[in-house]
Every structure is written in structure tokens, then in C-alpha cells.
């Protein structure tokens, strides 16, 4: 880095730091908006308020033509843009403004829709996922002088999704209908975060998801266990055997026709750190034969999400005739979702004991994603994160799925897609007592501002 670059970085760092009280104001206002994109739980006006806030705030931050665009699922995306110098590359900045419901209000130590500072963190639903990333974008754009009318070093496009947490696919369906809103050289999908607080991270791999419902039938109807139990085939016992066949003696996922020996080549995930992050009880072993990173990001992982059978309270002395389970299968990059669904369905059917009848109903399927990381955008991003944090960027996977990434990669194959953000493990996203560390907003805002400056002249 030249002396001039060092001076510019120091000046930008000071601007970001000075803007942090404003970032807290932004986040306070946003968290107060109960923007759960489900009218059965919260009024749609709450999402509308959040969308209108983004229109005003990003207009003030220097973007143009900020507006709401209704997507095919009925939710509103917020879009806008800002032109850069002639010949400059284009960067898309993504986030979402809808949030998960608060779940159990009684489990929150502070009001879920009131940003509350405690122990150096800011608590509230959406404080990290994903309104913390909204505040990050605003802070970066303001630090670059957008609010002062100085313009930006690159062409900027902005898209904020309004129903990401519901998974209804409105934005994915909008991409082919209005591709001009999304076309860019680099796309910053800001809905992930660092592997650990203070460790700059690009998420380069997302697992896909296959979900099915398996139903097992053995009798015409439930029969008295005293009169018929023993020789009568128990549908629940058959289901237990079928589900148990999905894991080997070490607890690792094993499905016929599906490779299970993948190895992760990015950042390591120490077992003790994972135990703490996942809340594994003392004395309970982790499962599988690979490293934690292998099992999380490079291998399929099956989970039984729910079982329909008589509950303990109210159950009777009966041999069950028909029971069901909902099963999900996370798949790593390189595995086709449809092939994985067929393998799972075939395995479930073939594992049935005693000739039990098995029906497998597919529910959903999402493709895995792997980012291309050998281009100028990733080089600029690695440099920006290193300057912002004073540490080299690492690459991690993520167990969740972001279908939008696959849609964008298919539509714009030459674009570089980078997943970054403020959502480190301590944030407890989707859970009660969600929070964000304000230092992550500060560092990531600086990294984004540096990236936009450095990507202006990719080399």
C-alpha cells in the first residue's frame, strides 16, 4: 500500500467511526418496525414502513430513483442506483429488511422490537439479520460522501428484499422479469457474516436443501396393543427403523447413492468452538467421521424435522397403523438437488421393514451454491477486509440456503458473487435475544467502502 492509500484508508476509517451514532439511530428505527412478512402474524403496514424508511435513507445517502417494486409473491423490494464514472464497473448491494418473528417473547431479556444496548452489543429482532447489514450499507455509502453529493467510485445498484425470511421466492422470480435491476460485475450479498467476531470472512459455499414427507402404513387402523401387540406390525416402529437407517454407527449421514466423504478446504471449525456455538451438552459426542467443517459444508446432512404420531399426553394403548415424518437433507455444492431427492426417496422406501408400505412426498428442493473466487472483485474484497480488520480474509461455508444466489449466478454467469455481512455466531439470528456487535457494523462498513473504492480500478 502506498502512503497515499494509507492516508485515504485512515481518513475513511475516521469517517466510518464518526458515523456510528447515526448507524445506531438507523438501527433503532428499523428494529422498531415489526417487519415480519407474514400478515397472519403482523400487519403488512409494518413492512411498508420499513420499505419506505429504506427509500428515504438511501436517497439521502446518495442513491437515485429509490422506489418500491412489487414482486410476484406480493412483497415489495426496494431498489435504486447511483451512476459512477464512465467506464467504471457496477456493484450490486443486497440486503433484506424483513425479519423472523420474535418467537417466544418471554425468552427475550429485552423487548424484541426495541434496540437495547447491553454488554457492548445491540439487541433486537433483526439487529443482525438483516437490518444490521442495512445499517452497514448506509454507513459505507455515507462515508464515501454519497450524502454530500460527491458521487461514488463505481456504478451502484441497490436491492433490498422484503420476504427473504418467508422463503416465498418473490425476489428470485423478479430477476428474470426485470434483470436490469440486478445486472452487475460484482454482487455483494450481505446476509451472512464472519466465521467469528473480528475474523473477516467471505462465505463461498452454501448447502442446498431437499425436504420430503415420508408416510408409513402397516394396518387398516390402530389396534389395541394388549390384544394385537407383538405380531401386529407397528407403523411407528417401522418408521423409527427407516429413520435410523439414514445414519451410520458414528451418526454420519449415509444415503444409498449419495457420496458422503467430502472434505472442506477452507477455514477450520474447531470442535470445541462448535460445541459451544451449538450448545452441545456435556458428555454428548459430535457425530460423523470428518472434521466439523467437513460435516457442515462438504457432506450431506439429514435431519428429522418432525413426526406425526400420537403425543405422549393423550396417547392410548394402541399399535399405530399410519405415521409420518418430515425429513430434510442438506447437500453440499456438486450435488444435484433432484438427484439427492431421488436418492433420499429410494433409500427411505428400500429401508422399510416387514413389507411396510412407504409413500414419499417431495416438498421442496434448493440447489447448493459455490462462489467463483478467482476474479478481481474477490481480490479487491480480500484487500479491503484485510485493511479493515488487520487480518487476512478467510473463506467459510454456510449450512443454510440462499436460493437467490443460484438464480443470480445462472442469469449473470460472468458476475462475481460475494457473501459477507455482520452476522457472526454470537448474534443468535432467528433465536430470542438476537444481537449485533457494533464493531462488526463499523469494520464491515469500512471494508465495503474500501472495496467500492478499490474495485473501481480492478487489476
Amino acid at each position: 500500500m502506498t502512503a497515499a492509500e494509507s492516508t485515504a484508508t485512515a481518513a475513511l476509517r475516521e469517517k466510518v467511526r464518526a458515523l456510528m451514532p447515526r448507524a445506531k439511530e438507523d438501527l433503532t428505527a428499523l428494529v422498531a418496525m415489526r417487519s415480519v412478512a407474514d400478515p397472519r402474524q403482523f400487519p403488512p403496514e409494518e413492512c411498508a414502513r420499513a420499505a419506505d424508511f429504506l427509500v428515504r435513507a438511501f436517497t439521502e445517502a446518495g442513491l437515485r430513483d429509490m422506489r418500491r417494486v412489487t414482486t410476484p409473491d406480493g412483497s415489495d423490494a426496494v431498489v435504486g442506483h447511483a451512476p459512477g464514472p464512465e467506464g467504471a464497473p457496477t456493484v450490486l448491494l443486497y440486503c433484506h429488511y424483513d425479519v423472523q418473528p420474535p418467537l417466544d417473547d418471554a425468552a427475550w431479556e429485552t423487548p424484541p422490537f426495541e434496540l437495547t444496548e447491553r454488554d457492548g452489543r445491540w439487541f433486537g429482532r433483526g439487529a443482525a439479520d438483516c437490518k444490521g447489514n442495512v445499517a452497514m450499507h448506509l454507513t459505507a455509502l455515507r462515508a464515501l460522501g454519497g450524502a454530500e453529493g460527491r458521487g461514488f467510485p463505481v456504478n451502484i445498484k441497490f436491492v433490498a428484499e422484503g420476504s427473504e425470511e418467508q422463503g416465498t421466492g418473490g425476489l428470485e422470480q423478479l430477476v428474470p422479469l426485470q434483470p436490469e435491476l440486478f445486472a452487475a460485475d460484482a454482487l455483494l450479498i450481505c446476509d451472512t457474516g464472519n466465521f467469528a467476531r473480528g475474523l473477516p470472512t467471505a462465505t463461498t459455499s452454501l448447502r442446498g436443501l431437499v425436504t420430503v414427507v415420508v408416510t408409513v402404513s402397516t394396518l387398516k387402523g390402530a389396534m389395541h396393543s394388549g390384544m394385537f401387540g407383538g405380531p401386529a406390525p407397528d407403523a411407528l416402529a417401522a418408521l423409527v427403523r427407516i429413520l435410523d437407517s439414514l445414519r451410520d454407527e458414528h451418526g454420519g449421514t449415509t444415503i444409498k447413492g449419495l457420496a458422503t466423504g467430502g472434505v472442506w478446504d477452507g477455514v477450520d471449525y474447531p470442535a470445541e468452538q462448535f460445541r459451544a456455538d451449538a450448545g452441545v451438552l456435556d458428555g454428548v459426542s459430535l457425530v460423523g467421521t470428518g472434521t466439523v467443517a467437513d460435516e457442515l459444508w462438504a457432506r450431506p446432512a439429514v435431519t428429522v424435522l418432525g413426526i406425526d404420531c400420537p403425543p405422549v399426553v393423550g396417547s392410548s394403548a394402541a399399535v399405530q397403523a399410519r405415521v409420518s415424518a418430515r425429513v430434510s437433507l442438506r447437500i453440499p455444492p456438486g450435488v444435484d438437488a433432484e438427484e439427492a431427492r431421488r436418492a433420499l426417496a429410494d433409500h427411505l422406501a428400500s429401508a422399510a421393514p416387514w413389507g411396510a408400505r412407504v409413500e414419499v412426498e417431495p416438498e421442496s428442493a434448493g440447489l447448493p451454491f459455490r462462489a467463483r473466487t478467482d476474479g478481481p472483485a474477490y481480490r479487491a474484497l480480500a484487500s479491503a477486509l484485510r485493511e479493515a480488520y488487520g487480518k487476512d480474509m478467510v473463506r467459510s461455508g454456510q449450512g443454510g440456503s440462499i436460493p437467490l444466489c443460484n438464480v443470480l449466478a445462472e442469469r449473470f454467469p460472468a458476475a462475481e458473487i460475494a457473501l459477507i455481512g455482520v452476522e457472526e455466531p454470537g448474534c443468535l439470528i432467528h433465536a430470542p435475544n438476537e444481537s449485533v456487535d457494533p464493531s462488526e457494523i463499523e469494520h464491515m462498513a469500512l471494508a465495503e467502502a474500501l472495496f467500492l473504492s478499490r474495485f473501481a480500478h480492478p487489476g
Side-chain angles (χ1 to χ4, degrees):
M1 180 188 302
T2 67
E5 288 174 330
S6 179
T7 300
T9 297
L12 203 54
R13 190 184 300 275
E14 288 305 313
K15 287 182 180 179
V16 168
R17 184 170 293 126
L19 285 164
M20 285 304 294
R22 182 72 182 277
K24 187 177 184 181
E25 292 176 12
D26 293 332
L27 202 51
T28 298
L30 281 166
V31 167
M33 300 171 190
R34 303 174 299 165
S35 52
V36 177
D38 183 352
R40 299 169 300 179
Q41 300 183 65
F42 290 92
E45 291 77 15
E46 295 287 326
C47 284
R49 286 177 58 211
D52 289 340
F53 177 94
L54 265 61
V55 169
R56 294 191 301 271
F58 281 91
T59 298
E60 182 272 336
L63 300 191
R64 302 180 185 177
D65 194 26
M66 291 296 304
R67 65 195 189 279
R68 290 160 55 177
V69 175
T70 301
T71 72
D73 72 354
S75 66
D76 283 344
V78 178
V79 304
H81 68 94
E86 185 176 353
T90 299
V91 176
L92 173 75
L93 305 179
Y94 165 90
C95 56
H96 65 84
Y97 64 85
D98 69 306
V99 298
Q100 284 281 329
L103 303 176
D104 182 6
D105 284 2
W108 284 79
E109 297 179 19
T110 56
F113 293 109
E114 179 181 320
L115 193 72
T116 306
E117 185 169 359
R118 190 176 78 249
D119 300 326
R121 299 182 70 94
W122 297 344
F123 286 79
R125 175 54 90 220
D129 182 21
C130 181
K131 292 174 177 178
N133 291 308
V134 175
M136 176 192 78
H137 284 320
L138 285 169
T139 303
L141 296 176
R142 288 170 179 149
L144 288 171
E148 302 159 19
R150 294 208 305 267
F152 298 104
V154 295
N155 302 296
I156 290 176
K157 292 183 179 180
F158 175 81
V159 176
E161 189 171 3
S163 60
E164 192 275 344
E165 298 291 10
Q166 296 301 312
T168 46
L171 198 65
E172 293 99 279
Q173 297 172 63
L174 185 66
V175 173
L177 298 176
Q178 298 191 49
E180 70 279 1
L181 298 177
F182 304 88
D185 299 291
L187 301 94
L188 296 188
I189 308 300
C190 296
D191 188 21
T192 59
N194 291 335
F195 176 72
R197 184 175 64 87
L199 180 63
T201 307
T203 299
T204 58
S205 170
L206 299 171
R207 288 197 289 193
L209 174 66
V210 171
T211 306
V212 302
V213 174
V214 55
T215 300
V216 179
S217 303
T218 55
L219 301 167
K220 292 181 179 179
M223 303 302 292
H224 190 285
S225 63
M227 298 178 64
F228 297 96
D234 184 341
L236 183 53
L239 177 63
V240 168
R241 285 202 173 191
I242 292 170
L243 297 179
D244 181 61
S245 75
L246 295 170
R247 292 183 178 272
D248 61 23
E249 67 273 21
H250 304 290
T253 296
T254 175
I255 296 172
K256 297 171 186 175
L258 205 58
T260 59
V263 175
W264 177 251
D265 59 1
V267 67
D268 183 34
Y269 199 156
E272 288 308 310
Q273 180 182 340
F274 178 81
R275 293 183 67 91
D277 292 344
V280 180
L281 299 178
D282 290 344
V284 178
S285 301
L286 301 185
V287 300
T289 56
T291 68
V292 169
D294 293 340
E295 299 290 345
L296 273 180
W297 304 321
R299 299 181 179 182
V302 70
T303 304
V304 179
L305 301 179
I307 296 179
D308 281 343
C309 63
V312 171
V313 177
S315 59
S316 63
V319 178
Q320 297 305 311
R322 182 180 174 90
V323 294
S324 299
R326 188 166 181 245
V327 180
S328 82
L329 177 65
R330 299 282 180 174
I331 52 176
V335 177
D336 179 78
E338 181 56 29
E339 290 180 4
R341 185 199 64 77
R342 285 198 298 267
L344 176 60
D346 290 346
H347 181 108
L348 291 168
S350 66
W354 320 316
R357 297 180 183 178
V358 176
E359 304 167 58
V360 181
E361 178 186 358
E363 276 196 338
S364 61
L367 295 171
F369 170 78
R370 186 184 296 278
R372 180 172 64 85
T373 61
D374 58 352
Y378 263 87
R379 289 194 292 272
L381 180 62
S383 173
L385 285 167
R386 183 170 56 250
E387 286 304 306
Y389 280 91
K391 301 175 184 177
D392 287 338
M393 181 188 82
V394 300
R395 299 175 183 179
S396 77
Q398 182 172 294
S401 304
I402 304 179
L404 177 64
C405 290
N406 298 94
V407 174
L408 293 171
E410 182 177 355
R411 186 76 188 193
F412 309 108
E416 294 183 70
I417 301 175
L419 292 95
I420 58 173
V422 303
E423 303 165 20
E424 42 82 25
C427 293
L428 298 179
I429 65 172
H430 292 205
N433 301 303
E434 178 181 352
S435 69
V436 68
D437 188 317
S439 69
E440 291 291 88
I441 295 178
E442 181 176 344
H443 284 97
M444 289 305 301
L446 174 60
E448 181 172 302
L450 289 169
F451 168 78
L452 294 174
S453 299
R454 293 179 182 181
F455 189 54
H457 306 288

